[in-house]
C-alpha cells in the first residue's frame, strides 16, 4: 500500500465516486440496487463514496431518505471506503441540521456546496460554510461548482475557509487550474477534481484525487489513472484519459449525468432500473445508443471490468 500523499487522503480517500441513487420505476429508492451498486464500487477500487450529492439527485430526496441512504451505504461499505455525505443547501439552518443528521447516520465526512440560487456575497459564503463546519466533528470538503450554484468560491474565500480545522478539501468543479494550484500552494487544502474531463490535468497539478461521475461505471480506470500520475508515468496516464473520453462525453454531455450514469449501470446489469425522479428524465433512445457505443469503445464487459 502506498503512503498517503496528503493528510486529507486518509479522511476522504483518493478515488471518490459521486454515487447515483438507484430507484425503482415508481420512484422509490431501490434497496437491492443500492447494495449491489456499493458492492460494485468497492469491487472496482472506489475508496470514497459521495452520498446525496448532485448526481445522487439530492434536491429530490427527503431528509429521511438521505439519512437512510447514508446509514445503508456506511453499513454496506463496512469501513472499506469513506462515506461522504452531501449536506449543502441554500439555507444555512437546513445545512447544519443535515450535517448533524449525517454524522449520526455514520458519515465519515461532509460535502458542502456553495449556497445556490440566493447568490450570497463571499462573506456570506464564508459565514455559511463556517456554521456548517462548526455543527459536527466531521471533516468537510467544500464543493465549488459555479455553473450550478451561480456563485463561485473566490480564491480568497477558500484561503480564509482553510483556516478552519475541519475544512480540509475542495471538490473543484470550477476548472480554473491556475487558481487551484495557487490555493494548494498557499493552504493545506486538498483538491479533488470534480470535472471528469479534467481529471488528468488536475492530478498532474497536484490534486489528491477525483470525485467522479464516470467512476460509477469506471472507478477501476480512475484508480489506474491516479496510480499512473503518482508514479510519474504520464504516457500511461494520457492513454487512460484518452480511452475514457468517449464514455465521459456520453455520460456527461448527452443527458444529465445522473440519468446517463444510471442508464449505463442498468445496461451493465449493476442496478435493475435507470429510473430518475422528475424533473430529470431517462435518456432518450438516441442517447442510450450513444452510451452503448461508448461502453463498447471503452471495452466495458458485463461485469464492468474495463479490458486492458
Amino acid at each position: 500500500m502506498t503512503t498517503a500523499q496528503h493528510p486529507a487522503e486518509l479522511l476522504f480517500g483518493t478515488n471518490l465516486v459521486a454515487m447515483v441513487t438507484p430507484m425503482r420505476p415508481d420512484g422509490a429508492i431501490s434497496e437491492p440496487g443500492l447494495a449491489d451498486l456499493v458492492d460494485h464500487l468497492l469491487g472496482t477500487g472506489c475508496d470514497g463514496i459521495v452520498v446525496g450529492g448532485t448526481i445522487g439527485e439530492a434536491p429530490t430526496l427527503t431528509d429521511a431518505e438521505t439519512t437512510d441512504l447514508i446509514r445503508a451505504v456506511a453499513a454496506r461499505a463496512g469501513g472499506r471506503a469513506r462515506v461522504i455525505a452531501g449536506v449543502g443547501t441554500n439555507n444555512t439552518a437546513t445545512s447544519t441540521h443535515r450535517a448533524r443528521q449525517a454524522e449520526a447516520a455514520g458519515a465519515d465526512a461532509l460535502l458542502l456546496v456553495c449556497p445556490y440560487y440566493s447568490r450570497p456575497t463571499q462573506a456570506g459564503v464564508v459565514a455559511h460554510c463556517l456554521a456548517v463546519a462548526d455543527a459536527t466533528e466531521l471533516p468537510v470538503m467544500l464543493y465549488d461548482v459555479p455553473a450550478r450554484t451561480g456563485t463561485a468560491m473566490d480564491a480568497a474565500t477558500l484561503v480564509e475557509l482553510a483556516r478552519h480545522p475541519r475544512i480540509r478539501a475542495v471538490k473543484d468543479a470550477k476548472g480554473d487550474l491556475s487558481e487551484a494550484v495557487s490555493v494548494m500552494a498557499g493552504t493545506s487544502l486538498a483538491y479533488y477534481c470534480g470535472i471528469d474531463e479534467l481529471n488528468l490535468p488536475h492530478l498532474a497539478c497536484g490534486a489528491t484525487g477525483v470525485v467522479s461521475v464516470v467512476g460509477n461505471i469506471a472507478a477501476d480506470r480512475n484508480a489506474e489513472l491516479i496510480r499512473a500520475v503518482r508514479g510519474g508515468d504520464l504516457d500511461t496516464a494520457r492513454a487512460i484519459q484518452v480511452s475514457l473520453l468517449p464514455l465521459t462525453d456520453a455520460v456527461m454531455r448527452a443527458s444529465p449525468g445522473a440519468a446517463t450514469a444510471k442508464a449505463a449501470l442498468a445496461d451493465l446489469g449493476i442496478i435493475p432500473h435507470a429510473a430518475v425522479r422528475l424533473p430529470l428524465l431517462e435518456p432518450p433512445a438516441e442517447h442510450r445508443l450513444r452510451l452503448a457505443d461508448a461502453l463498447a469503445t471503452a471495452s466495458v464487459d458485463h461485469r464492468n471490468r474495463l479490458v486492458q
Side-chain angles (χ1 to χ4, degrees):
M1 180 180 295
T2 59
T3 303
Q5 295 194 348
H6 191 289
E9 181 178 324
L10 300 176
L11 302 174
F12 305 102
T14 59
N15 186 19
L16 282 62
V17 171
M19 188 188 73
V20 303
T21 301
M23 294 172 182
R24 304 196 307 249
D26 65 2
I29 293 173
S30 170
E31 293 181 5
L34 181 64
D36 288 344
L37 178 55
V38 172
D39 289 347
H40 156 73
L41 295 178
L42 295 172
T44 50
C46 168
D47 62 1
I49 302 174
V50 176
V51 180
T54 305
I55 299 303
E57 298 175 75
T60 72
L61 299 174
T62 67
D63 280 3
E65 286 175 326
T66 302
T67 298
D68 288 345
L69 278 170
I70 295 166
R71 186 176 292 111
V73 173
R76 193 76 181 184
R80 291 172 289 172
R82 313 303 286 174
V83 177
I84 300 97
V87 298
T89 71
N90 59 353
N91 182 325
T92 304
T94 299
S95 296
T96 55
H97 174 67
R98 290 187 177 182
R100 295 186 186 104
Q101 285 185 314
E103 183 177 43
D108 297 301
L110 304 175
L111 180 68
L112 180 60
V113 73
C114 184
Y116 46 84
Y117 187 71
S118 51
R119 301 183 70 178
T121 64
Q122 291 298 303
V125 172
V126 169
H128 173 87
C129 293
L130 293 179
V132 177
D134 284 337
T136 78
E137 296 299 317
L138 297 179
V140 174
M141 178 184 292
L142 303 172
Y143 183 12
D144 191 8
V145 56
R148 290 186 181 273
T149 64
T151 302
M153 293 181 172
D154 290 349
T157 296
L158 295 169
V159 171
E160 182 173 354
L161 289 171
R163 300 188 183 105
H164 192 287
R166 283 187 292 280
I167 296 177
R168 306 296 299 276
V170 178
K171 176 185 175 183
D172 181 17
K174 180 163 39 184
D176 186 337
L177 286 170
S178 177
E179 178 182 282
V181 171
S182 176
V183 175
M184 280 188 280
T187 73
S188 61
L189 289 171
Y191 262 65
Y192 289 77
C193 182
I195 304 174
D196 275 290
E197 298 90 330
L198 297 180
N199 282 343
L200 174 55
H202 267 81
L203 291 166
C205 285
T208 296
V210 302
V211 182
S212 173
V213 178
V214 176
N216 279 282
I217 307 148
D220 43 4
R221 190 57 59 89
N222 283 342
E224 293 169 4
L225 176 65
I226 294 167
R227 283 195 297 270
V229 173
R230 286 190 169 190
D233 186 355
L234 292 185
D235 287 340
T236 296
R238 281 192 291 268
I240 294 168
Q241 184 81 4
V242 169
S243 75
L244 284 174
L245 286 177
L247 185 58
T248 300
D249 186 69
V251 170
M252 301 306 299
R253 295 179 185 272
S255 289
T260 48
K262 281 187 176 182
L265 289 166
D267 288 348
L268 292 165
I270 306 300
I271 62 176
H273 304 288
V276 292
R277 288 180 178 173
L278 287 171
L280 296 185
L281 298 172
E282 292 186 38
E286 61 268 27
H287 291 178
R288 293 292 287 262
L289 288 172
R290 178 177 172 184
L291 185 60
D293 288 344
L295 289 169
T297 300
S299 301
V300 179
D301 71 16
H302 68 284
R303 294 179 305 279
N304 188 40
R305 293 298 188 267
L306 288 172
V307 177
Q308 301 304 309

